[in-house]
Amino acid sequence: MRRETDIGPDGRLPDDLVNGYREHGFVRVRGVLGPEQVERFGAAADAYLEGHRGDSLEKGGAFSQLVNVWQADQDLRDLTFDRRLGRIAEQLAGFPVRLWHDQMLVKEPHSNTATEFHQDRPYWPHAGDRLPLSAWIALVDVPPERGCMTFLPGTQDRSGLRAQDLHDEDDLFAVDPELRWIPRVTVPLRAGDCTFHSGYTGHMALPNSTDLARLAHVVIYMDAETAFSGGSHPVTDSLGLAKGTRLDGDAFPRPWA
Ligand code: SIN
Ligand code: NI
């Protein structure tokens, strides 16, 4: 396994990657996990999946979506709470961030269903926030045929669109027809690499046509000042929050602070 990393000895990303994120709305960061971490967290993800397949929030067959695994599994919590990753998220964002939620996103072998183009932020009950971002961490090698991500560069400023249906390949383009004509960037990842993408950057993930499950662990970082908009979401529905409440406290920690 390769051992090189884009992260400097000071734990920070070089300016060209930060500038790339700001310009394009996504960036690939190689080697956020070392080989031992890939082995440890990959095994933890496999074991978690075995016990929790039935808990998937995603029912459309595109992938298994297991949310807030940090609350149930100590190893996966260590991954979600990784300080180096959280600090890089803050470097890219340019402001303090806290955890919105994590999720394991698994495409089973030969599942052959794409996650169609969408933006993430319209799904979330957030208000008063600056641009959130997600780290999509590959726990196995994810070439295109195993279901890597494809991005629409420069779409990170397209706020205000309604939530899109990630089972409909045309929905994002129905909402904003110009986006169809943006050159798309597909980003294969080696195990231990990740991409960061903003909450408004249009993206999709290809189907998995291989014999191996596509294991991705996603950590979603929101502006530390984010308030609750009052909308419905599986992460907040049971919390009894009043509209306008700051999303902070134990449910939305900042372990990298
Ligand atoms: C996927 O991994 O299939 C989708 C990820 C995303 O939409 O952020
Ligand atoms: Ni998404």
Side-chain angles (χ1 to χ4, degrees):
M1 186 181 290
R2 292 164 321 113
R3 282 163 200 278
E4 75 246 40
T5 176
D6 289 318
I7 304 173
D10 58 355
R12 293 178 67 78
L13 288 185
D15 287 347
D16 60 322
L17 292 190
V18 177
N19 294 338
Y21 171 75
R22 302 260 168 87
E23 183 180 347
H24 304 301
F26 71 94
V27 66
R28 180 188 66 170
V29 183
R30 291 171 303 176
V32 292
L33 302 181
E36 298 79 18
Q37 289 175 300
V38 168
E39 197 168 322
R40 175 184 167 210
F41 296 132
D46 270 332
Y48 193 84
L49 179 66
E50 277 313 305
H52 294 86
R53 267 197 182 81
D55 301 343
S56 176
L57 285 188
E58 153 64 16
K59 303 294 182 201
F63 47 76
S64 292
Q65 179 184 23
L66 304 176
V67 169
N68 273 348
V69 298
W70 70 272
Q71 295 176 358
D73 185 278
Q74 184 59 52
D75 288 304
L76 296 171
R77 172 193 294 234
D78 288 347
L79 176 53
T80 294
F81 282 17
D82 188 273
R83 285 167 183 252
R84 196 164 75 141
L85 210 57
R87 287 177 183 153
I88 289 171
E90 294 199 332
Q91 186 188 3
L92 291 169
F95 49 79
V97 296
R98 57 177 72 252
L99 179 65
W100 161 224
H101 66 79
D102 68 7
Q103 52 191 353
M104 271 177 60
L105 296 182
V106 181
K107 287 192 186 237
E108 304 284 352
H110 301 283
S111 51
N112 288 335
T113 307
T115 314
E116 304 293 358
F117 274 108
H118 64 278
Q119 302 170 302
D120 295 334
R121 172 63 178 75
Y123 300 136
W124 299 335
H126 293 179
D129 56 321
R130 291 166 288 183
L131 195 60
L133 75 171
S134 297
W136 192 105
I137 306 157
L139 295 178
V140 294
D141 283 344
V142 187
E145 57 275 16
R146 188 163 293 130
C148 78
M149 296 268 273
T150 292
F151 299 96
L152 297 175
T155 50
Q156 66 276 11
D157 56 357
R158 303 285 176 122
S159 57
L161 305 181
R162 65 154 169 83
Q164 302 108 36
D165 180 356
L166 54 72
H167 305 105
D168 177 348
E169 66 181 344
D170 271 327
D171 199 37
L172 176 61
F173 306 121
V175 174
D176 189 340
E178 277 178 34
L179 301 187
R180 190 189 296 280
W181 306 104
I182 294 174
R184 302 168 190 190
V185 180
T186 295
V187 186
L189 297 179
R190 305 301 297 264
D193 297 349
C194 84
T195 50
F196 284 88
H197 68 274
S198 89
Y200 288 113
T201 305
H203 58 281
M204 62 85 72
L206 292 163
N208 180 7
S209 60
T210 73
D211 294 339
L212 188 72
R214 188 213 69 178
L215 287 182
H217 184 84
V218 179
V219 185
I220 308 176
Y221 304 93
M222 61 180 169
D223 184 346
E225 306 293 320
T226 304
F228 177 53
S229 71
S232 176
H233 189 278
V235 168
T236 43
D237 284 351
S238 61
L239 300 180
L241 298 170
K243 186 174 170 177
T245 309
R246 175 94 68 86
L247 293 176
D248 60 11
D250 292 347
F252 307 105
R254 246 192 110 212
W256 40 83

